[in-house]
């Protein structure tokens, strides 16, 4: 009886009248099973997936990302770090309509003849709309590889027959998310029937009278107002730089402020990549705590960038980075000025200092500190005295490094723009690594042969058209080494443009003023910055590793590691 009842129940369940219920139950079970499996798979994917956005990567991966360039030759020598403008998509400016020659209304002879007195020697009125429109049309027709976004009003040049005019532009095939500014001197003539023509146009930045003294002045010709507004969010290379130190205007505003300062530590005289990784941790903590970061603008340049092969103190932050953008985008003060104000008002206003001597004290634990100044003091034992240790561990997911606040020096980028402009923004670029690596046959057995002139000519034959302008970025000190390439290409090197930083240059004048009248050396980091940025503006870019040689960038048997 006990054994028969279950059998009877099973047999009954397969009766014809129960088949519909069984089918529904079976389908329900299958659907539920699929649902459970789907949830399980989704959970596994969500738990293991790492998005491509570098800000979501752990610190070891973001360090690798920030110090890499494309595929990239520049990665392993710890020479140049990516900064905020490198993360901006190039199409960020695509929405801004550029100016076509058809947008410009050029008056006809009939429109202007009634006021003509026939005096061809009369001074040119640069404010005349006809002159303005004629100069715009000439510039658009002359620079065919350029998209123009805005023209400034012409002003008188060096004499009665010249006019200076500025404009904002991007190269048609530009890969960087930036606007560039140029200003040139036009020689203008008037015919007997009072029509105007451009006799000649000067070199890059010759029209100095058209250089604006203040940003965001509303004047000139632009296709859409949005382009001007958007440009304020992007680097504008060629504008007058205002990187004067910010000051606290009154005792009251100083005493009501909240400040963060990092003191001491072992980050000094390290590579620029190391410095920025630590500095951005401090800036990120200051923003998290809603405090003003008190920063030391005097840097120590590592010996890897100096001609003396010694660490060099006294280098200004503003030589290398865009301090104007930083001070406009974040709350920062110069350390020297801060201590003057602190010493003057600290006792009088009862300002308190909260000292932190252990990097393991997280920013989260300091969020409720009410004292005016939080000072993190770092000891002498490396690596526990590196600033970036503050942002490790649980802090990594809370405090974000604000990379968008750090841009490269616009003075250096102006040199980049000048070189690219002299090449009409129509050139290809090749990076040739030789130096110590070419001499080390154990780690790079083929590099020396693969970067010889004959090998380069053979490798470039199918990559770059004969007769093209080719910018060669290289660590090879003997530039004559590349002379055989001149039969196929018009070759250009960084030192061909040294007039852009010599004692007669605008860069030299500006940096000397910034450095209290002491001339500034165009050092190794500046050279690498400019050389790399010019390379990246080539229409075609040929790298040493992957393109010219099969050797691994970091030595034998490291190709898979380098690619990761």
């Amino acid at each position: 009886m006990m054994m028969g009842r279950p059998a009877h129940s099973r047999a009954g369940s397969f009766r014809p009248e129960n088949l519909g219920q069984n089918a529904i139950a079976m389908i329900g079970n299958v659907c539920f099973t699929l649902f459970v499996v789907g949830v399980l798979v989704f959970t596994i994917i969500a738990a293991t997936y790492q998005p491509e956005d570098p800000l979501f990567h752990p610190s070891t991966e973001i360090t690798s990302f920030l110090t890499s360039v494309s595929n990239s030759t520049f990665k392993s020598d710890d020479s140049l770090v990516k900064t905020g403008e490198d993360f901006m998509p190039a199409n960020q400016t695509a929405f801004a309509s550029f100016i076509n020659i058809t947008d410009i209304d050029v008056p006809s002879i009939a429109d202007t003849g009634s006021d003509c007195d026939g005096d061809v020697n009369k001074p040119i009125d640069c404010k005349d709309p006809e002159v303005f429109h004629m100069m715009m049309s000439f510039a658009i027709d002359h620079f065919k590889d350029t998209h123009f976004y805005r023209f400034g009003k012409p002003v008188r040049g060096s004499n009665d027959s010249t006019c200076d005019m500025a404009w904002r532009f991007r190269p048609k095939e530009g890969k960087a998310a930036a606007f560039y500014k140029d200003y040139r001197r036009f020689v203008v003539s008037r015919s007997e029937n009072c029509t105007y023509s451009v006799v000649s146009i000067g070199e890059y930045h010759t029209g100095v009278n058209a250089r604006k003294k203040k940003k965001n002045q509303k004047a000139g010709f632009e296709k859409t107002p949005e382009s001007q507004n958007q440009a304020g969010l992007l680097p504008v290379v060629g504008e007058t730089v205002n990187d004067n130190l910010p000051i606290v205007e009154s005792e009251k505003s100083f005493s009501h402020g909240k400040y963060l300062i990092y003191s001491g530590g072992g980050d000094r005289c390290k590579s620029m990549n190391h410095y920025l990784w630590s500095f951005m941790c401090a800036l990120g903590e200051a923003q998290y705590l809603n405090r003003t970061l008190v920063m030391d603008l005097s840097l120590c340049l590592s010996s890897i960038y100096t001609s003396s092969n010694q660490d060099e103190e006294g280098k200004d932050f503003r030589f290398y980075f865009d301090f104007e953008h930083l001070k406009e985008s974040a709350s920062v003060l110069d350390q020297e000025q801060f201590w003057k104000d602190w010493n003057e008002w600290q006792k009088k206003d009862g300002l308190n200092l909260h000292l932190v001597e252990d990097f393991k004290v997280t920013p989260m634990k300091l969020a409720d500190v009410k004292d005016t100044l939080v000072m993190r003091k770092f000891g002498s034992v490396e690596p526990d005295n590196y600033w970036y240790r503050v942002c490790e561990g649980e802090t990594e997911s809370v405090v974000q490094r604000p990379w968008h606040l750090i841009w490269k020096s616009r003075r250096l980028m102006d040199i980049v723009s000048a070189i690219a402009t002299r090449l009409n923004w129509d050139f290809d670029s090749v990076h040739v690594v030789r130096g110590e690596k070419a001499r080390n046959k154990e780690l790079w057995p083929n590099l020396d042969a693969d970067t010889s002139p004959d090998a380069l000519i053979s490798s470039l034959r199918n990559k770059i058209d004969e007769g093209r302008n080719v910018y060669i970025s290289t660590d090879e000190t003997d530039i004559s080494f590349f002379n055989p390439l001149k039969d196929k290409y018009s070759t250009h090197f960084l030192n061909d443009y040294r007039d852009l930083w010599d004692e007669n240059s605008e860069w030299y004048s500006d940096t000397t003023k910034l450095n209290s009248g002491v001339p500034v050396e165009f050092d190794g980091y500046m050279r690498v910055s400019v050389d790399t940025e010019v390379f990246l503006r080539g229409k075609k870019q040929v790298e040493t590793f992957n393109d010219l040689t099969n050797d691994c960038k970091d030595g034998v048997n490291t190709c898979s590691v380098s690619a990761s």
Side-chain angles (χ1 to χ4, degrees):
M1 297 286 293
M2 292 292 293
M3 294 298 294
R5 292 179 62 185
H8 175 74
S9 298
R10 287 196 300 271
S13 66
F14 287 101
R15 292 177 179 176
E17 59 269 23
N18 294 331
L19 289 179
Q21 297 178 356
N22 292 339
I24 294 174
M26 184 178 296
I27 293 172
N29 290 337
V30 171
C31 291
F32 180 75
T33 302
L34 292 175
F35 172 75
V36 172
V37 172
V39 170
L40 180 62
V41 171
F42 177 82
T43 303
I44 294 173
I45 292 175
T48 59
Y49 174 65
Q50 286 185 328
E52 287 303 311
D53 186 341
L55 296 180
F56 289 95
H57 287 194
S59 59
T60 53
E61 292 190 31
I62 194 171
T63 303
S64 176
F65 176 83
L66 290 169
T67 55
S68 68
V69 183
S70 63
N71 57 346
S72 155
T73 299
F74 297 100
K75 180 178 176 181
S76 63
D77 58 4
D78 199 26
S79 56
L80 185 67
V81 69
K82 280 191 174 184
T83 49
E85 70 272 35
D86 297 313
F87 299 118
M88 298 177 183
N91 62 2
Q92 190 164 342
T93 56
F95 77 96
S97 300
F98 59 89
I99 302 169
N100 290 300
I101 199 166
T102 55
D103 297 319
I104 300 171
D105 180 21
V106 180
S108 65
I109 296 176
D111 295 332
T112 59
S114 59
D115 297 327
C116 176
D117 58 11
D119 186 359
V120 296
N121 296 318
K122 185 178 179 181
I124 299 296
D125 180 7
C126 298
K127 296 181 180 179
D128 188 329
E130 183 185 358
V131 175
F132 182 29
H133 291 189
M134 181 268 303
M135 290 171 63
M136 285 193 290
S137 298
F138 185 88
I140 293 173
D141 185 62
H142 187 75
F143 300 107
K144 298 186 184 299
D145 279 347
T146 297
H147 282 323
F148 292 86
Y149 288 88
R150 186 176 188 276
F151 285 98
K153 290 287 188 182
V155 296
R156 187 180 186 276
S158 58
N159 54 48
D160 290 342
S161 62
T162 60
C163 296
D164 292 359
M165 184 173 70
W167 57 81
R168 185 167 289 173
F169 72 96
R170 291 190 73 236
K172 286 185 178 179
E173 299 185 25
K175 301 177 179 66
F179 285 99
Y180 300 87
K181 184 179 180 180
D182 197 355
Y183 31 92
R184 306 229 184 181
R185 180 153 294 166
F186 293 73
V187 177
V188 182
S189 68
R190 179 194 288 107
S191 67
E192 292 183 357
N193 64 1
C194 292
T195 59
Y196 297 101
S197 62
V198 173
V199 177
S200 63
I201 184 172
E203 296 297 325
Y204 180 76
H205 282 192
T206 51
V208 292
N209 293 338
R211 186 179 184 182
K212 289 191 299 187
K213 302 304 179 184
K214 294 181 180 180
K215 297 178 66 176
N216 300 326
Q217 289 180 342
K218 296 285 186 178
F221 183 98
E222 57 187 324
K223 185 66 174 296
T224 58
E226 290 84 359
S227 63
Q228 175 72 14
N229 295 335
Q230 180 69 7
L233 304 176
L234 299 170
V236 182
V237 178
E239 292 279 17
T240 303
V241 179
N242 176 19
D243 51 11
N244 295 327
L245 300 181
I247 59 174
V248 180
E249 296 182 354
S250 67
E251 174 186 348
K252 181 178 180 180
S253 60
F254 180 88
S255 298
H256 281 78
K258 292 289 185 289
Y259 307 95
L260 171 70
I261 189 170
Y262 279 33
S263 177
D267 303 276
R268 206 158 185 84
C269 304
K270 295 295 193 295
S271 72
M272 197 66 82
N273 290 355
H274 180 125
Y275 165 75
L276 274 187
W277 189 240
S278 284
F279 174 74
M280 295 306 292
C281 172
L283 188 58
E285 181 179 23
Q287 291 199 319
Y288 173 80
L289 296 175
N290 196 26
R291 289 176 174 268
T292 296
L293 179 66
V294 180
M295 58 180 291
D296 186 357
L297 269 75
S298 178
L299 308 183
C300 175
L301 190 66
S302 169
S303 61
I304 63 177
Y305 310 119
T306 64
S307 57
S308 65
N309 296 318
Q310 301 290 323
D311 296 337
E312 295 182 2
E313 289 279 3
K315 301 294 183 177
D316 198 303
F317 179 93
R318 295 168 290 183
F319 295 165
Y320 310 100
F321 306 105
D322 186 349
F323 186 67
E324 180 178 6
H325 173 64
L326 176 61
K327 71 179 182 179
E328 290 179 353
S329 307
S331 183
V332 294
L333 280 178
D334 172 49
Q335 177 178 282
E336 184 176 350
Q337 180 63 47
F338 172 83
W339 285 125
K340 289 180 180 178
D341 293 338
W342 179 267
N343 291 334
E344 181 176 356
W345 296 320
Q346 185 260 329
K347 290 184 179 179
K348 177 181 177 182
D349 295 339
L351 308 180
N352 296 320
L353 182 153
H354 183 90
L355 183 64
V356 181
E357 297 186 276
D358 186 352
F359 72 86
K360 295 179 182 178
V361 177
T362 67
M364 294 79 83
K365 294 179 181 178
L366 300 175
D368 295 328
V369 172
K370 304 300 182 184
D371 297 310
T372 302
L373 175 63
V374 171
M375 173 186 282
R376 281 194 180 273
K377 190 172 182 180
F378 296 83
S380 58
V381 180
E382 298 185 28
D384 285 347
N385 63 353
Y386 293 158
W387 292 5
Y388 66 72
R389 298 301 302 273
V390 172
C391 293
E392 293 180 338
E394 62 177 315
T395 304
E396 187 172 5
S397 61
V398 178
V399 174
Q400 302 297 322
R401 286 175 170 85
W403 289 103
H404 61 286
L405 301 180
I406 296 294
W407 292 352
K408 297 178 183 68
S409 163
R410 281 189 285 146
R411 292 187 177 92
L412 292 179
M413 295 303 296
D414 207 15
I415 295 177
V416 174
S417 180
I419 294 173
T421 299
R422 290 185 183 182
L423 293 170
N424 294 318
W425 293 89
D426 184 20
F427 65 97
D428 301 316
S429 51
V430 181
H431 188 217
V432 182
V433 174
R434 288 185 56 79
E436 292 295 332
K437 289 186 177 181
R439 291 188 286 272
N440 189 332
K441 304 293 185 180
E442 292 184 5
L443 292 179
W444 295 277
N446 305 299
L447 181 60
D448 186 22
D450 289 342
T451 56
S452 67
D454 290 341
L456 288 173
I457 292 173
S458 177
S459 297
L460 297 178
R461 182 178 293 115
N462 297 324
K463 294 180 173 66
I464 297 177
D465 295 336
E466 188 171 331
R468 290 280 294 164
N469 282 317
V470 176
Y471 182 86
I472 299 178
S473 172
T474 182
D475 58 356
E476 176 61 53
T477 56
D478 182 11
I479 301 304
S480 65
F481 176 85
F482 298 99
N483 283 348
L485 274 69
K486 293 182 178 180
D487 293 336
K488 300 289 184 181
Y489 307 104
S490 177
T491 56
H492 308 268
F493 302 87
L494 179 62
N495 275 349
D496 294 343
Y497 306 96
R498 53 184 173 271
D499 63 291
L500 295 171
W501 61 82
D502 69 14
E503 61 184 11
N504 297 315
S505 68
E506 186 175 332
W507 176 88
Y508 183 92
S509 175
D510 286 352
T511 54
T512 299
K513 291 177 183 176
L514 199 63
N515 202 38
S516 302
V518 179
V520 176
E521 178 190 5
F522 193 72
D523 59 50
Y525 189 78
M526 297 173 184
R527 294 181 65 88
V528 167
S529 295
V530 172
D531 207 24
T532 304
E533 292 297 332
V534 175
F535 169 86
L536 293 173
R537 279 151 183 77
K539 288 186 174 179
K540 292 181 180 178
Q541 300 163 11
V542 179
E543 284 278 9
T544 300
F545 302 101
N546 297 326
D547 292 332
L548 300 178
T549 182
N550 289 325
D551 280 358
C552 302
K553 178 164 56 61
D554 295 323
V556 173
N557 298 325
T558 63
C559 287
S560 58
V561 175
S562 300
S564 62

